[in-house]
C-alpha cells in the first residue's frame, strides 16, 4: 500500500499521487488507510485537492473525495485539475447544466449575496456563490447554495413542506421551510461537514450530510 498512494502538500493545498496499475476498489481501500493513518498530522483543515498518477472519471474522483473526508477531518473544498483543457470543458459543462436547471427550477443567481441584500423566487433557486450573514433568500421551491450559507433562507415559502435547502457549507443565521424554522444561529455554527441538505420530517427540520447523493439532489430538482 505504501507505494499506491502518496500524499504531498503544495502551495494551494494537497496533491495525492495514485498508482496507475492498482484496481480502483483496492485503491479506495488504500486511500482510506493512508488518510486514517495521517489524520492526526493533518488535523481539521480545509484543503484544495489535486489528483494525479492515473486517469479518473468524474465519478471516481467523487468517490475518492468521499473516502478522504470520511477517513480524516479534512474538508475538500474543490478539485484542481492539471489539464487546463479539461478544466475549461468542465466549466462549460457546468454552465450548460446550470442553464438547464434554471429552465426547470425558475432561476439561478451567480454571485455572492452580502449583508442587506435579498433574493426571491417564485419557483426554486440556485445561488452560485455565498449567502453572507445579513442576506436573505426566499423561494417557493428549493434553495440550493453552491457556496457558504450564512444568511437567512426561507424555502417552501408558499407552504411547500417538500422543499429542501442544500448548501456546500451549511451555517445559516436562520433557516425556514414552509412554517417551520430553526432557532437563530448567532455564532454561525455549521450544521455538518461538507454539502448538507435540510428538509422537513415529522414537523421538524432535519439535516443530513450529502456525499454521492449530492449530485442526485441537483438532478432531481
Amino acid at each position: 500500500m505504501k507505494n499506491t498512494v502518496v500524499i504531498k502538500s503544495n502551495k494551494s493545498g494537497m496533491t495525492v499521487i495514485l498508482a496507475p496499475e492498482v484496481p480502483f476498489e483496492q485503491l479506495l481501500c488504500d486511500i482510506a488507510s493512508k488518510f486514517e493513518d495521517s489524520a492526526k498530522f493533518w488535523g481539521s483543515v480545509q484543503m484544495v485537492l489535486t489528483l494525479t498518477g492515473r486517469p479518473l472519471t468524474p465519478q471516481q474522483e467523487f468517490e475518492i473525495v468521499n473516502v478522504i473526508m470520511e477517513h480524516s477531518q479534512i474538508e475538500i473544498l474543490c478539485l484542481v485539475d492539471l489539464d487546463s483543457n479539461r478544466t475549461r470543458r468542465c466549466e462549460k459543462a457546468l454552465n450548460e447544466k446550470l442553464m438547464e436547471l434554471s429552465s426547470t427550477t425558475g432561476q439561478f443567481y451567480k454571485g455572492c449575496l452580502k449583508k442587506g441584500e435579498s433574493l426571491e423566487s417564485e419557483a426554486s433557486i440556485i445561488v452560485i456563490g455565498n449567502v453572507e450573514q445579513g442576506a436573505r433568500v426566499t423561494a417557493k421551491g428549493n434553495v440550493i447554495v453552491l457556496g457558504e450559507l450564512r444568511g437567512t433562507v426561507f424555502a417552501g415559502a408558499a407552504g411547500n413542506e417538500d422543499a429542501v435547502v442544500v448548501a456546500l457549507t451549511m451555517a445559516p443565521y436562520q433557516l425556514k421551510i414552509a412554517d417551520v424554522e430553526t432557532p437563530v444561529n448567532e455564532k454561525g455554527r455549521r450544521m455538518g461537514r461538507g454539502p448538507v441538505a435540510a428538509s422537513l420530517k415529522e414537523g421538524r427540520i432535519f439535516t443530513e450530510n450529502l456525499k454521492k447523493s449530492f449530485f442526485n439532489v441537483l438532478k432531481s430538482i
Side-chain angles (χ1 to χ4, degrees):
M1 184 193 72
K2 66 179 182 179
N3 294 324
T4 63
V5 181
V6 177
I7 306 172
K8 293 184 176 182
S9 60
N10 58 48
K11 291 181 179 180
S12 59
M14 171 190 296
T15 297
V16 177
I17 305 170
L18 307 170
E21 73 282 355
V22 180
F24 185 71
E25 292 304 318
Q26 179 60 48
L27 189 66
L28 289 179
C29 293
D30 292 349
I31 293 170
S33 298
K34 193 79 170 182
F35 276 89
E36 280 184 353
D37 293 342
S38 61
K40 289 184 178 180
F41 172 79
W42 294 103
S44 179
V45 293
Q46 295 179 325
M47 302 286 281
V48 173
L49 176 66
T50 301
L51 298 174
T52 66
R54 62 191 284 162
L56 297 165
T57 67
Q59 179 62 32
Q60 288 175 331
E61 291 176 339
F62 197 64
E63 290 184 39
I64 290 172
V65 170
N66 285 338
V67 167
I68 292 173
M69 292 177 63
E70 286 171 355
H71 293 273
S72 70
Q73 298 182 66
I74 298 171
E75 180 183 352
I76 304 300
L77 298 176
C78 66
L79 280 170
V80 175
D81 199 320
L82 298 179
D83 184 341
S84 59
N85 289 328
R86 184 175 172 216
T87 300
R88 286 192 290 269
R89 290 197 299 271
C90 289
E91 290 175 348
K92 180 181 179 182
L94 175 60
N95 287 331
E96 290 174 350
K97 183 62 178 177
L98 291 171
M99 290 299 294
E100 177 187 337
L101 286 170
S102 71
S103 66
T104 57
T105 63
Q107 187 178 5
F108 73 86
Y109 175 87
K110 190 171 184 179
C112 293
L113 287 174
K114 299 183 178 181
K115 182 177 180 180
E117 296 181 332
S118 63
L119 191 64
E120 297 184 7
S121 174
E122 291 295 313
S124 294
I125 189 164
I126 300 170
V127 179
I128 312 167
N130 300 329
V131 178
E132 298 179 2
Q133 187 168 338
R136 182 181 181 88
V137 179
T138 303
K140 291 184 178 179
N142 307 313
V143 177
I144 310 295
V145 179
L146 300 180
E148 295 186 351
L149 170 53
R150 299 191 180 276
T152 300
V153 168
F154 184 9
N160 179 9
E161 296 184 351
D162 294 324
V164 298
V165 177
V166 176
L168 298 186
T169 297
M170 181 77 79
Y173 179 77
Q174 189 169 41
L175 188 153
K176 183 176 181 181
I177 300 176
D179 296 323
V180 182
E181 61 187 16
T182 62
V184 170
N185 178 19
E186 292 183 348
K187 295 185 177 181
R189 293 190 179 92
R190 296 175 61 176
M191 302 166 70
R193 294 177 60 198
V196 171
S199 60
L200 279 184
K201 294 180 182 178
E202 300 177 352
R204 296 175 57 193
I205 293 178
F206 281 79
T207 59
E208 59 179 335
N209 292 326
L210 296 177
K211 295 186 183 296
K212 293 180 183 179
S213 57
F214 176 57
F215 292 106
N216 291 333
V217 169
L218 287 180
K219 291 177 183 177
S220 64
I221 296 173

